[in-house]
Amino acid sequence: MSNRSPCSNRGAELLSLLLLVSLLIGCAEQPDAVLRVGLSSAPATLDPRHATDAAAARLCRLLYASPVDFDAAFRPQPALMTWEMHAPEHYVFRLRGEAFFHDGTPIRAEDVAATYRSVLDPAQASPFRGALAHIISLEATSPKTLEVRLSRPDPLFPGLLTLGVLPARELEQARRTSAYTGSGGFRLAAEFNPQHVQLVRQVDGQRVDFLVVPNETTRALKVSRGELDLVQGGMSPELTAWLSRQPGITVRRVKGTVYTYLGFNLHSGPTRDLRVRQAIAHAIDRDALVRHAFKAQARLADGVLVPEHWAGVPDPERLRHDPARSRSLLSELGYGPADPLELTYKTSNDFFRRRIATILQDQLAAVGIRLEIRSHDWGTFFGDIRRGDFQVYALSWVGLQLPDIFRQAFHSASVPPTGANRGRYASAEMDALIEQAERAPDEAARAAGYRAVQRLLGRDLPYVSLWFEDIVVVQGARVVGYDTNLNGHYDGLLETRLALDEHRAAPH
Amino acid sequence: MLRQWYVGVLCVWLVLACIAPWCMESGNRITLENAFAPPTAGAWLGTDDLGRSILLRTVAGAAVSAPLAAGVVLVSLCVGTLLGALGAWRGGLLDACLQRIIELFQAFPGLLLAIALAGILGPGTGNVALALCLVGWVGFARLARAQVASLRSREHVLVARALGTPDRRILSNHILPLLVAPLLVEATFAFAATLAAEAGMSFLGLGAQPPTAAWGSMLREATQFLLVAPHMLLGPGLAILSLVMAMQSAGERLRLHWQLPR
């Protein structure tokens, strides 16, 4: 029998109740002032000289100020520096006003020179070195003036100075690090952790955390539960449609510049013949693909550059879906039901790319082309494409801003590893047009030259342009004032604020 | 009767595997307008992201997974038994080498090794089958080796040797018949494991290539649309679950019938 008094029992009950209440209070979500952004993949580095993946490039933009930036029509605009072209091979850049690194030291022309010299240093093995290889000298003639001399005329050169500026003194120490003292609108709040990058906004101390959530379903669930405030891109149209139906979630679409195309091998195999490429082009129902696979979250592409680009084609000739024309071209070539054209299509293992491949396979089968799909991991797939070991493949160009893409992808001297002419397209007419556009005296003449290049591409079909994917922004109820642009940069975070009073974080 | 449910399931899948080749073409027919249709009286399991019938694709998947698993088990059984029995019978250097090779294969997780091999060989059902055979023979070799090592000292084997019976005849007439029961039990378990492994590799994109229906790749597609169209999981999920469980139960039943140790 128990000899404990009723009083001690009541005491124990009271204590339990208190514990329970304190536990419940402890478990209740506290509103926090951190804005959380979901990423589909981790940034490899925060060193702008090596930032090639989209996440790293976008984060570097927040951390480091660059000498030059682009406007909405992709014209180079002064950012840290203005410039004068003394000759097509001689530029003088000048720092505008006072700008500082996050440790308070002023940014000098010598810092810009040191950054770009280190990009050109073969020991750095920067992937941007190739594009800047025509720089002969970078000389800081005063704390605010930088003189650049080139080995060949390049009227587009200022557009190449978009990498963030690093402090010369840190570069001189020659220590390898994944992040340097920054100069942008944000600074690192903690040591660089690729899975969880913590930034602080310079002007008001607003914390912004970038969390890597590779699975898109998990990312969508985290946004719907308030564990993430913002996700930009990397989500299937079906999931964004689902998210738009969730309470407190806003989904917005912005026209993007990610250009997806079908590439052909022009060096060997049946795709060498223009009529085969034309038959494939006319067999593809791009409207149906955009309507169903993208839920209209993409727009048809009829050129490499978006129509808004200063060198883009505003009213391009549209590639028509014409299965009858495809069949007639194939029969001209001797292909028919008894002897169909058989092609191999290489793609990555990415689910969405395989889905597109399956639809293309079905559309081509309707005109009598048998497409065998081979999906590989990214490394194997891209290696095959660079080697020219393919017949047909699909890829995307991300972050196209300068028309130098035409030299890189279509000039006969740009076959990998020198450039990105992966289909081994060789046309004297194309080479001449590209060189002519590069030598044009002013922007209007250059734009006309590049439009002629794009018209020839539409005729020769080394690529079949498919679409430009939209940038889809999914944001929770706490996010106020976020906006993005054609390139999908996170610049909008400079203005974004959290509506902490109206909404609680992670309310479920 | 209910205790033998697996017989019914296996019979159903046998029939479905036989009619599967006729479902392939219609199962691959894309109708984008019908994408994500939920299950209805007309389409029992609904449609997938490309508007294809999930029921037809599930049945068509049996034509890929079941023959592949059966083929892999048969090849592994033959190779593993031959090597294991030969090693145990001959002994010496051959047996020592075989043992080291078996240990080497066992030291590494079989499925991971198969995934690595299929990754090197490239995607496709043929390469998946080859990769699974390369790791599948080990279990049979180990079992056959242990059984033969124990059987070779049995009296009837010793008598046969004393009478000068050739090795080949001793192995085929006096040892192999005694191996049938444990190997058959092992084979049923191996079939279930191979089926699951093939589904796993197809899930990773290493198996059947589009548009061929394979349960693993169908599951992968379904997981992408878990929040939008959860019905896509049902067909391939139930197919793998029912067939693996039925084979496991059949193996367990056989093991009990022949009173074999676990």
Side-chain angles (χ1 to χ4, degrees), chain A residues 167-189:
Chain A
R169 63 186 182 286
E170 288 182 26
L171 294 170
E172 280 157 17
Q173 287 165 7
R175 63 183 172 92
R176 284 244 176 205
T177 174
S178 52
Y180 290 83
T181 302
S183 50
F186 284 83
R187 66 183 152 79
L188 264 179

Side-chain angles (χ1 to χ4, degrees), chain A residues 216-217 220-221 238-239 242 292 349 351 354-355 358-359 361-362 373-376, chain B residues 30 32-33 36 49-50 52 123 204-205 209-211 220-221 223-225 227-228:
Chain A
E216 62 173 316
T217 304
L221 284 169
E238 287 78 14
L239 268 183
W242 178 83
H292 295 288
N349 259 340
F351 170 76
R354 274 169 58 112
R355 190 180 173 203
T358 313
I359 301 175
Q361 185 183 49
D362 188 61
I373 297 172
R374 292 212 190 133
S375 61
H376 299 272
Chain B
I30 293 174
L32 292 171
E33 294 77 17
F36 302 115
D49 56 313
L50 299 176
R52 300 172 295 192
L204 294 174
Q209 293 295 292
R220 186 189 183 197
E221 286 158 17
T223 55
Q224 298 289 325
F225 302 107
L227 300 174
V228 185

Side-chain angles (χ1 to χ4, degrees), chain A residues 411-426:
Chain A
H411 197 284
S412 59
S414 299
V415 169
T418 317
N421 183 354
R422 295 155 190 153
R424 277 69 180 164
Y425 172 53

Side-chain angles (χ1 to χ4, degrees), chain A residues 383-424:
Chain A
D384 283 358
I385 301 305
R386 278 175 62 88
R387 272 198 305 278
D389 180 12
F390 64 85
Q391 287 185 321
V392 186
Y393 70 98
L395 255 179
S396 297
W397 280 105
V398 183
L400 292 180
Q401 302 194 101
L402 287 172
D404 66 343
I405 177 65
F406 295 114
R407 170 174 278 279
Q408 209 185 329
F410 303 111
H411 197 284
S412 59
S414 299
V415 169
T418 317
N421 183 354
R422 295 155 190 153
R424 277 69 180 164

Side-chain angles (χ1 to χ4, degrees), chain B residues 34 42 58 70 73 77 85 99 102 107 126 131 136 140-141 151 158 171 178-179 231 243-244 250:
Chain B
N34 290 347
T58 305
V73 170
L77 175 78
Q99 250 187 305
I102 289 174
F140 291 102
L151 289 171
L158 294 175
L171 273 170
L178 294 172
L179 285 180
H231 67 267
L243 200 48
V244 169

